[in-house]
């Protein structure tokens, strides 16, 4: 027997697919949405569609942006000889908020995770090497998180870059182990960047 109308069941079903949302939370959210004023519900739906339709990967650094090339890669003020490798766009934003980094980024959009079958070809490592071959780069700063996956990814990238003679550095530990970069305060992030060490 179907307890909810099809529309409500569909909405709950969609919400259940979101990370961290179990069936109870999905029901709570669905009823919250159904009780919203209609224009607010419309605007929520519209921003999901807008974001999904218009946000894409920057052709150079693979951050999420609404342009072909993101404003950081386009800026003449940024030092293209310094590339900071981060896990995702949220990490890039965390460093941008600190406001002291003048280089550019490379966004992996994930980390290697053998347990989940995510290998080097599933994140943007190949694209990083293509950049290093095309552009004159002096330093690659590896700023993946200090989780097991982040460290393994950092080691993998370091091994690949080292023979090319490009300087590879790793942000200082001091960033709490297992802490997502985006959750760390700006002072800690700046310290991690300034205390980076050559690998
Ligand atoms: Zn970019």
């Amino acid at each position: 027997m179907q307890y909810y109308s099809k529309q409500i069941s569909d909405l709950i079903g969609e919400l259940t697919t979101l990370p961290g949302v179990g069936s109870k939370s999905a029901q709570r959210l669905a009823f919250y949405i159904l009780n919203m004023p209609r224009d607010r519900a419309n605007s929520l739906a519209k921003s999901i569609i807008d974001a999904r339709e218009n946000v894409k990967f920057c052709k150079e650094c693979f951050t999420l942006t609404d342009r072909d090339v993101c404003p950081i890669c386009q800026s003449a003020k940024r030092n293209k000889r310094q590339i900071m490798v981060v896990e995702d766009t949220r990490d890039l934003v965390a460093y941008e908020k600190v406001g002291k980094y003048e280089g550019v980024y490379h966004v992996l959009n994930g980390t290697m995770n053998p347990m989940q079958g995510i290998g080097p070809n599933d994140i943007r490592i190949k694209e990083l090497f293509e950049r290093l071959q095309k552009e004159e780069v002096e330093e690659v700063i590896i700023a993946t998180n200090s989780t097991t996956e982040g460290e393994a990814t950092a080691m993998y990238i370091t091994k690949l870059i080292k023979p090319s003679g490009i300087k590879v550095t790793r942000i200082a530990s001091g960033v709490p182990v297992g802490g997502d970069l985006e959750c760390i305060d700006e002072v800690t992030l700046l310290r991690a960047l300034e205390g980076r060490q050559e690998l």
Side-chain angles (χ1 to χ4, degrees):
M1 186 180 132
Q2 183 137 21
Y3 295 103
Y4 293 129
S5 76
K6 183 182 179 302
Q7 291 87 345
I8 300 176
S9 302
D10 285 354
L11 179 57
I12 294 171
E14 290 295 339
L15 292 167
T16 313
T17 65
L18 299 175
V21 181
S23 70
K24 274 216 171 117
S25 304
Q27 291 188 46
R28 192 170 46 82
L29 289 169
F31 279 89
Y32 181 80
I33 292 168
L34 289 169
N35 285 309
M36 272 180 172
R38 187 174 288 217
D39 57 341
R40 276 204 51 218
N42 281 342
S43 124
L44 173 64
K46 187 176 174 298
S47 43
I48 293 174
I49 294 166
D50 274 358
R52 198 60 196 84
E53 292 291 310
N54 297 309
V55 174
K56 49 195 166 187
F57 294 115
C58 166
K59 277 184 183 162
E60 286 182 22
C61 74
F62 299 93
T63 193
L64 291 170
T65 176
D66 57 357
R67 309 183 196 179
D68 283 344
V69 177
C70 77
I72 295 171
C73 290
Q74 259 177 358
S75 167
K77 289 187 189 141
R78 306 298 292 238
N79 176 8
K80 299 268 166 73
R81 290 167 181 255
Q82 200 175 36
I83 297 182
M84 191 196 294
V85 179
V86 292
E87 289 183 16
D88 64 32
T89 298
R90 291 171 298 180
D91 298 330
L92 177 156
V93 170
Y95 275 104
E96 283 303 285
K97 279 188 186 159
V98 178
K100 290 281 196 300
Y101 177 64
E102 287 166 350
V104 291
Y105 295 89
H106 187 85
V107 183
L108 295 171
N109 289 290
T111 42
M112 287 164 48
N113 187 341
M115 301 290 277
Q116 288 179 16
I118 304 170
N121 293 329
D122 300 309
I123 57 177
R124 303 280 184 171
I125 290 182
K126 183 165 57 72
E127 288 83 351
L128 173 64
F129 286 93
E130 285 168 6
R131 282 180 82 179
L132 296 180
Q133 277 158 7
K134 269 194 307 197
E135 297 159 34
E136 246 185 72
V137 176
E138 282 164 4
E139 181 182 4
V140 174
I141 304 167
I142 304 181
T144 50
N145 286 322
S146 43
T147 53
T148 315
E149 295 79 21
E151 293 295 353
T153 308
M155 256 167 52
Y156 182 87
I157 295 175
T158 306
K159 269 192 193 157
L160 282 179
I161 300 180
K162 268 285 185 184
S164 70
I166 297 170
K167 184 177 172 189
V168 185
T169 56
R170 177 87 171 107
I171 54 164
S173 56
V175 173
V177 172
D180 277 0
L181 279 183
E182 54 158 346
C183 299
I184 293 159
D185 71 84
E186 290 166 19
V187 177
T188 312
L189 218 47
L190 184 59
R191 228 180 268 150
L193 179 59
E194 284 176 345
R196 67 186 185 274
Q197 287 187 339
E198 189 160 357
L199 295 170

